[in-house]
Amino acid sequence: VSLQLALDRLAKGPLPVVAGGTDFYPALMDKSAPADLIDITQFDELKAIDAIDDEWRIGAAVTWTDIIRANLPPAFAALKAAAKEVGSVQIQNRATLAGNLCNASPAADGVPALLALNASVELRCASVTRIVPLANFITGVRTTTCRSDELITAIHIPTLSATERSTFVKLGARKYLVISIAMLAVNLDFDESGKCCRCAIAVGSCSPVAQRLTELEQVLLGMSIDDTEKIKEYIDAASLSELSPIDDVRGSAVYRLLAVRSVLKRAVSSVINDYNSSRKLI
Ligand SMILES: Cc1cc2nc3c(=O)[nH]c(=O)nc-3n(C[C@H](O)[C@H](O)[C@H](O)COP(=O)(O)OP(=O)(O)OC[C@H]3O[C@@H](n4cnc5c(N)ncnc54)[C@H](O)[C@@H]3O)c2cc1C
């Protein structure tokens, strides 16, 4: 079966789609598995990670383990760190980034790192391919703009400066196999004079869809790499108005906001330390 044949079949009517199956099968609960479905992992063209022109293209059948093993620039450190936090090694071996995005859980570990990388989603139906920014792809809890006649075929990430650094922090009630209370990805880049020239901060598990903290990003742009105390003060003062955490069994809304501030300060310091160590090596 070719990818085009699968898309032609989807054009005739909905059919369940599965990749690693690590969200799909547990969601069936007591229902039996459908007799007919499209397994996208059979399409070799969806398994590649390529640097093409001015972007990276990650195929829809690429697993978290593939990401951990791939030779990617330092700006992808947060995505690699997120990959290591998805379930267990067995889950990482099967589960895909694309499946994580389609499942659209507020606690999906892949979303903050991909938002901070300005990722877009490539959606294909039998006749057309469209590219949707990830920020517009996930529209709510478990809802996306993927139509029933479409497949995600790839994730696109613009090429970023070789000096950009990033980190991902997942806060959970235990170390492994945990749904996060809050998580965040931070990408920072500085120009030759040490001024912050790119700042991307994305937070998950604190709103129906993970959010970029655009207000704080604007404040931190232009700040000096040596001004870490001032940066922390700005984080303490930030409104975090993009977030709307809820109280649930994992943590209260108040705790989540406190945790985000605290984890964010640590994450920014860690990226700056990483940045400074890489500068010393040059
Ligand atoms: C024990 C366990 C632990 C887990 N821990 C974590 C965790 O720590 N963090 C986390 O974020 N997630 C976790 N998950 C959830 C899951 O593993 C991830 O969301 C994973 O990335 C899903 O990928 P998949 O390939 O298995 O998706 P699938 O289950 O195959 O698919 C998920 C959904 O996406 C759709 N889909 C898949 N691929 C496509 C495509 N190309 N085009 C259109 N639709 C598609 C499917 O129809 C389905 O609705 C865990 C799951 C289990 C079972």
Side-chain angles (χ1 to χ4, degrees):
V1 177
S2 70
L3 176 59
Q4 186 57 47
L5 208 61
L7 292 168
D8 290 342
R9 169 60 191 84
L10 279 181
K12 291 184 185 140
L15 202 62
V17 173
V18 69
T22 61
D23 276 317
F24 180 86
Y25 286 107
L28 290 174
M29 309 284 276
D30 291 338
K31 284 185 256 160
S32 46
D36 295 323
L37 49 74
I38 292 175
D39 176 354
I40 65 130
T41 61
Q42 67 188 300
F43 306 125
D44 285 342
E45 64 264 54
L46 302 186
K47 290 183 183 160
I49 303 174
D50 296 307
I52 307 166
D53 300 330
D54 54 356
E55 64 171 18
W56 286 84
R57 187 178 188 280
I58 299 174
V62 167
T63 64
W64 290 111
T65 298
D66 295 332
I67 290 293
I68 293 166
R69 292 181 181 161
N71 187 11
L72 295 166
F76 284 71
L79 186 65
K80 279 179 171 265
K84 290 179 190 162
E85 299 275 358
V86 176
S88 56
V89 169
Q90 292 88 342
I91 295 289
Q92 291 155 18
N93 286 343
R94 296 273 329 163
T96 60
L97 282 68
N100 194 244
L101 301 186
C102 287
N103 192 51
S105 157
D109 281 331
V111 179
L114 287 167
L115 279 176
L117 286 168
N118 286 339
S120 299
V121 176
E122 179 186 292
L123 292 158
R124 237 160 106 177
C125 69
S127 52
V128 187
T129 301
R130 62 185 178 117
I131 311 279
V132 180
L134 175 58
N136 302 340
F137 174 71
I138 303 177
T139 49
V141 178
R142 314 243 174 230
T143 56
T144 72
T145 58
C146 185
R147 300 190 314 252
S148 62
D149 65 338
E150 285 179 320
L151 289 175
I152 286 196
T153 38
I155 297 161
H156 294 246
I157 294 164
T159 305
L160 298 160
S161 144
T163 54
E164 182 161 325
R165 294 291 183 276
S166 71
T167 194
F168 171 82
V169 184
K170 175 172 173 177
L171 180 71
R174 57 171 189 259
K175 185 79 187 88
Y176 295 108
L177 266 173
V178 69
I179 301 177
S180 67
I181 299 167
M183 60 174 146
L184 54 86
V186 176
N187 279 51
L188 295 174
D189 195 14
F190 296 88
D191 64 18
E192 281 174 7
S193 69
K195 298 254 176 290
C196 179
C197 57
R198 197 174 106 81
C199 173
I201 302 168
V203 177
S205 285
C206 287
S207 45
V209 183
Q211 292 294 319
R212 286 274 293 265
L213 301 185
T214 45
E215 238 178 85
L216 181 61
E217 289 174 7
Q218 288 308 313
V219 173
L220 299 189
L221 270 179
M223 295 227 27
S224 164
I225 194 164
D226 301 318
D227 242 346
T228 44
E229 285 313 309
K230 196 114 207 112
I231 291 174
K232 285 182 189 165
E233 280 172 30
Y234 280 128
I235 294 172
D236 277 330
S239 71
L240 306 183
S241 58
E242 295 90 347
L243 306 181
S244 48
I246 53 164
D247 297 320
D248 69 9
V249 286
R250 285 176 276 138
S252 68
V254 172
Y255 173 72
R256 282 189 153 98
L257 284 181
L258 282 170
V260 165
R261 259 183 238 284
S262 159
V263 171
L264 182 53
K265 283 188 278 187
R266 265 185 274 149
V268 168
S269 293
S270 141
V271 179
I272 289 178
N273 287 342
D274 186 14
Y275 201 94
N276 281 329
S277 339
S278 68
R279 274 204 308 191
K280 281 183 204 137
L281 295 175
I282 295 170

